[in-house]
Amino acid sequence: MRCPYCGKTEDKVLESRTMANGEHIRRRRECTSCGYRFTSYERIEEKPLMVVKRDGRRQPFDRTKIEKGVDRALEKRPVPTNTIENIVNEIEERALMKGRVSREISTTELGELVLERLNEVDKVAYIRFASVYKHFENLDEFITEVKKIGEKNSKKAEEPVDTKS
């Protein structure tokens, strides 16, 4: 594995973790030349998950597109980088699980996975992503979406908390 900092290929594995039901391995590595620490991922190579676009075209799932969308939505928000990486990993895992049988997932399902995750993490990021994803045409659509979030959050606050556990 080539060090992203100095380019040398000598490193040692500090920690390995199995992720996604044993389908991924996350390894923390340290370059023996410069001491830089970085993370690598190993994945099982399978037939690619295909994304079905709204116009019916199909293209291979591209994790970097999800990363870019989530990064842009969370830009200048108080969310740590490792949390963003975890969000993208979870979205990718959920997409793979949904498309396990048919090896396909629609852009609508993919967008909903992103919105669901962003809603849990940061409401502003949710609105940013939704405004692009849902193609808001005017201010009224934007306001309606913000009100929906407010209603969802007030319902969650009203739910009784189980204190018997």
Side-chain angles (χ1 to χ4, degrees):
M1 182 74 48
R2 185 175 305 280
C3 173
Y5 190 74
C6 72
K8 299 282 197 285
T9 57
E10 300 290 322
D11 68 60
K12 63 181 176 181
V13 174
L14 303 174
E15 173 190 13
S16 291
R17 285 193 183 175
T18 303
M19 299 173 59
N21 300 324
E23 294 181 17
H24 298 99
I25 297 175
R26 175 184 180 269
R27 298 193 195 279
R28 286 293 296 155
R29 298 174 178 270
E30 182 176 37
C31 177
T32 55
S33 298
C34 69
Y36 183 75
R37 290 185 177 194
F38 57 100
T39 303
S40 66
Y41 294 91
E42 293 178 25
R43 293 185 171 90
I44 297 170
E45 191 170 2
E46 298 177 348
K47 282 196 225 174
L49 177 66
M50 298 302 284
V51 177
V52 181
K53 308 291 259 178
R54 289 183 179 153
D55 64 3
R57 288 181 297 127
R58 286 171 169 69
Q59 64 183 49
F61 175 83
D62 186 357
R63 176 189 166 91
T64 57
K65 287 185 178 182
I66 301 293
E67 287 173 340
K68 286 178 187 175
V70 170
D71 278 342
R72 185 160 291 142
L74 287 165
E75 189 174 345
K76 296 184 182 178
R77 299 298 302 152
V79 179
T81 306
N82 63 338
T83 302
I84 295 171
E85 188 174 315
N86 289 338
I87 291 168
V88 174
N89 287 340
E90 288 176 30
I91 292 167
E92 181 180 24
E93 287 175 23
R94 288 182 186 176
L96 290 170
M97 294 306 281
K98 280 188 173 241
R100 189 172 255 359
V101 175
S102 65
R103 303 300 307 154
E104 291 184 343
I105 187 168
S106 70
T107 54
T108 304
E109 289 176 296
L110 205 48
E112 292 301 323
L113 288 174
V114 175
L115 285 172
E116 180 183 315
R117 202 57 192 94
L118 288 175
N119 188 32
E120 295 168 6
V121 175
D122 188 283
K123 305 303 182 216
V124 172
Y126 171 89
I127 289 296
R128 284 178 177 172
F129 189 85
S131 67
V132 174
Y133 171 70
K134 294 185 176 187
H135 307 289
F136 292 163
E137 296 290 327
N138 56 46
L139 185 59
D140 292 334
E141 291 177 3
F142 192 88
I143 292 169
T144 302
E145 194 67 29
V146 171
K147 285 180 180 177
K148 277 191 215 174
I149 289 178
E151 290 170 9
K152 285 180 186 176
N153 290 336
S154 64
K155 286 180 184 176
K156 284 183 181 179
E158 293 172 5
E159 291 177 2
V161 177
D162 184 15
T163 57
K164 296 179 183 177
S165 304

